Amino acid sequence: MKKILSIASILICLFLNVKAQPKPNLDKVVAVVGSNIILLSDLNQQYAIYLNQGNPADPKAKCYFLQQMLVQKLLKQQAEIDSIVVEENQVDDELDKRMRYQVQRMGGQERLEQFLQKSLLQYKDEMRPDVKEGLIAQKMQAKITENTTVTPLEVKKYFDSYPKDSLPDIGAEVEVGEIVLQPKLTKAEKQKFYDKLEAIRLRIKSGEDFGFLAKSYSEDPGSASEGGDYGFIDRQTMVKEFTAWAFKLKAGEMSPVFETEYGYHILQVIERRGEQSHVRHILIRPQNTPQSLDRVKLKADSVYQDILTKKLPFATAASLYSDNKETQYNGGMMLYADNQTSRTTFIPVEKLDPSVFVVVDTMKVGSISQAVPFKDQQSGKEGYKIFFLKSKIPPHKASLEQDYPKFKDQAQREKESKVMSEWFEKRKETTYIRVDEEFETCDELKLWIKK
């Protein structure tokens, strides 16, 4: 496919970067965009992350990172003029997502904290301003391009712009549906987990330290090492049962044991500040029993038989029985996670989870699999899945007929990139921009430097 370095891709690269080291007290301003400054320490942090990801040393990479930062600052400035804001719960969600990615990438929370030389809670606090700015810039870009659409004629012109001998080869793709069935514990099976947390709650009431017991017993990987401390949350941050206690209790009060989809909790409010509550909690996750796994296996087999004998269409069975909220009301169809813009159901075979590939690889189009066991290593969730192979496209030379959605997506991105480039050209002419002479020789920055 044609490689287009769009403003969107620049923003995404910048948006995914994270801070690794604290800023020194003395700093140098390397660029100014309107009323916004870019510090040398921020630029060096970007470069340090680049090196820590295993990339070779390349001082020219700083030119690229500085260009990214200039882009974001210009968007941020316009967002302030247009009164564009992001909600704090959006920032929290992005922080949590980024935190999970970093923990997974580093092989665990402890290793990440050793690398950062700080706790995850401190890390989140330091990341927050940059994450928020990135979200605002992203929202500003979306506003600029919101009315940009491509017609079928434009898609055809885009496709026709390819020399016929350079059309890309498209690998095999599949559309796969899934019904996820997880065990449901009976009240009696869950009782011992409730009792375990109730005993911890009584120990706290008797004078033992909440933070110490959270570190010792809590099964929440995101907060256990911090003594269960979640920092300040608002009413949109957590699930409703958690939020209800977080805003019902006064500072210093502790909740009884309560249940959410994640397990059993006790929660203590540390401080209330308007519509925010500083809380800490202890989580105990009920574990599946052999009996609960047997029950869900029987249910999965029953659902499989209903689909096989055409008592229920697969999509209906997914909406009635699947425990996967992301696909439950999408006919059970899995979405290509690497392409969030087009939300396509066509997934390259090489991008399939190995546990899914091993099942669907031998299936015929239109068929369903028997219930197969699964266990998510990260969340610990387990149960059974039923797969449906809706379609399979073999490897082929790209064509407009078979690959129209792909070319439409690329044509859309190219048009948006052009709109953004025109927007930047206009804004640069009316915005004060200064780049430190140290970076004046950067090819990427020549268009930003006003002589």
Side-chain angles (χ1 to χ4, degrees):
M1 297 290 178
K2 287 185 177 178
K3 294 184 178 179
I4 302 169
L5 183 58
S6 65
I7 299 299
S9 65
I10 292 175
L11 280 171
I12 290 169
C13 291
L14 178 60
F15 187 59
L16 290 175
N17 283 325
V18 295
K19 290 190 172 183
Q21 300 294 333
K23 296 177 185 177
N25 292 329
L26 296 176
D27 216 338
K28 175 183 177 181
V29 175
V30 293
V32 179
V33 180
S35 59
N36 298 284
I37 63 171
I38 297 173
L39 298 174
L40 179 61
S41 61
D42 291 326
L43 184 58
N44 287 338
Q45 284 162 2
Q46 303 277 354
Y47 186 62
I49 293 165
Y50 166 84
L51 295 176
N52 286 330
Q53 290 174 341
N55 294 303
D58 181 8
K60 290 184 178 180
K62 289 187 179 182
C63 298
Y64 173 68
F65 293 136
L66 184 53
Q67 181 200 24
Q68 295 176 343
M69 299 168 88
L70 288 165
V71 165
Q72 180 158 308
K73 293 298 183 185
L74 195 55
L75 283 167
K76 173 178 177 284
Q77 176 174 282
Q78 187 62 41
E80 291 170 351
I81 295 171
D82 292 356
S83 300
I84 287 178
V85 297
V86 295
E87 301 297 331
E88 292 303 319
N89 65 300
Q90 291 178 273
V91 182
D92 290 328
D93 288 345
E94 179 57 33
L95 280 167
D96 290 341
K97 186 194 306 179
R98 190 172 295 187
M99 205 61 61
R100 287 192 295 270
Y101 169 76
Q102 290 295 321
V103 168
Q104 184 179 17
R105 183 174 173 274
M106 292 298 294
Q109 179 176 331
E110 186 175 344
R111 292 182 65 180
L112 176 60
E113 290 181 332
Q114 288 175 350
F115 168 72
L116 298 170
Q117 297 184 333
K118 65 189 70 175
S119 70
L120 284 187
L121 199 60
Q122 291 172 305
Y123 185 37
K124 285 178 74 172
D125 286 342
E126 289 182 7
M127 287 171 63
R128 192 176 193 87
D130 285 349
V131 169
K132 187 171 185 177
E133 183 176 291
L135 285 170
I136 290 172
Q138 192 179 56
K139 198 170 180 179
M140 184 68 238
Q141 180 184 340
K143 181 182 178 182
I144 296 167
T145 60
E146 63 184 349
N147 295 320
T148 305
T149 58
V150 290
T151 65
L153 180 60
E154 288 175 312
V155 177
K156 186 177 186 305
K157 284 183 178 179
Y158 180 81
F159 176 80
D160 290 341
S161 68
Y162 278 89
K164 298 308 176 187
D165 58 354
S166 65
L167 282 169
D169 292 316
I170 306 296
E173 295 177 317
V174 290
E175 287 186 292
V176 180
E178 65 172 1
I179 296 174
V180 181
L181 296 150
Q182 295 170 356
K184 306 293 190 295
L185 298 182
T186 65
K187 186 175 181 181
E189 288 170 334
K190 292 192 289 187
Q191 188 63 44
K192 68 176 183 178
F193 302 100
Y194 176 96
D195 292 342
K196 178 180 179 179
L197 189 52
E198 175 64 13
I200 294 171
R201 189 183 74 87
L202 293 176
R203 288 171 64 180
I204 295 170
K205 289 198 72 174
S206 297
E208 293 192 50
D209 182 65
F210 189 110
F212 174 78
L213 292 176
K215 288 182 179 179
S216 303
Y217 296 106
S218 182
E219 296 170 359
D220 178 5
S223 68
S225 66
E226 299 299 328
D229 198 328
Y230 256 135
F232 280 95
I233 65 170
D234 59 30
R235 294 182 186 273
Q236 284 75 46
T237 304
M238 314 297 287
V239 292
K240 62 181 181 179
E241 301 91 347
F242 195 99
T243 299
W245 283 109
F247 288 90
K248 180 179 180 180
L249 300 173
K250 297 177 182 178
E253 291 183 337
M254 181 172 60
S255 74
V257 176
F258 64 93
E259 187 177 9
T260 73
E261 61 187 271
Y262 299 102
Y264 288 115
H265 309 252
I266 53 175
L267 175 150
Q268 185 180 55
V269 173
I270 299 172
E271 181 184 354
R272 289 287 298 275
R273 187 186 296 167
E275 286 301 297
Q276 290 191 317
S277 184
H278 184 183
V279 300
R280 56 183 177 179
H281 85 134
I282 297 174
L283 170 68
I284 298 295
R285 299 177 185 269
Q287 301 300 310
N288 294 320
T289 64
Q291 294 79 11
S292 69
L293 289 168
D294 288 342
R295 289 195 301 270
V296 77
K297 175 66 164 64
L298 286 173
K299 181 178 178 181
D301 289 340
S302 175
V303 173
Y304 167 75
Q305 286 298 328
D306 284 347
I307 300 170
L308 192 65
T309 58
K310 302 189 184 305
K311 288 183 180 179
L312 280 177
F314 184 89
T316 303
S319 66
L320 290 174
Y321 301 114
S322 183
D323 291 316
N324 186 336
K325 295 180 180 178
E326 293 182 3
T327 62
Q328 183 180 18
Y329 299 111
N330 185 40
M333 300 308 298
M334 300 166 60
L335 295 173
Y336 182 25
D338 290 357
N339 192 343
Q340 295 296 321
T341 54
S342 62
R343 305 294 290 172
T344 180
T345 55
F346 288 93
I347 306 172
V349 168
E350 68 273 12
K351 295 290 186 177
L352 279 176
D353 185 289
S355 64
V356 178
F357 174 79
V358 74
V359 178
V360 303
D361 185 44
T362 56
M363 290 174 61
K364 294 181 179 179
V365 172
S367 66
I368 62 170
S369 74
Q370 294 189 14
V372 293
F374 78 91
K375 183 168 185 179
D376 189 302
Q377 297 301 319
Q378 188 173 359
S379 67
K381 292 182 179 180
E382 58 184 331
Y384 287 84
K385 292 183 179 181
I386 300 168
F387 293 106
F388 167 50
L389 182 58
K390 182 179 179 180
S391 69
K392 184 173 184 178
I393 301 175
H396 62 280
K397 183 69 73 174
S399 70
L400 191 60
E401 292 73 24
Q402 278 189 293
D403 305 296
Y404 182 86
K406 294 184 182 65
F407 287 105
K408 180 182 179 182
D409 190 44
Q410 291 181 61
Q412 177 74 25
R413 289 201 301 269
E414 184 179 75
K415 191 170 183 179
E416 288 179 358
S417 179
K418 184 178 179 181
V419 169
M420 288 302 304
S421 295
E422 291 171 353
W423 184 88
F424 276 109
E425 287 304 315
K426 291 178 181 178
R427 290 301 179 277
K428 284 191 296 184
E429 292 303 315
T430 58
T431 303
Y432 173 75
I433 299 172
R434 181 178 67 82
V435 177
D436 189 85
E437 59 183 12
E438 178 184 350
F439 298 95
E440 286 186 351
T441 57
C442 292
D443 290 336
E444 294 88 345
L445 300 176
K446 287 180 179 178
L447 294 176
W448 291 83
I449 297 171
K450 298 178 180 179
K451 296 298 183 182

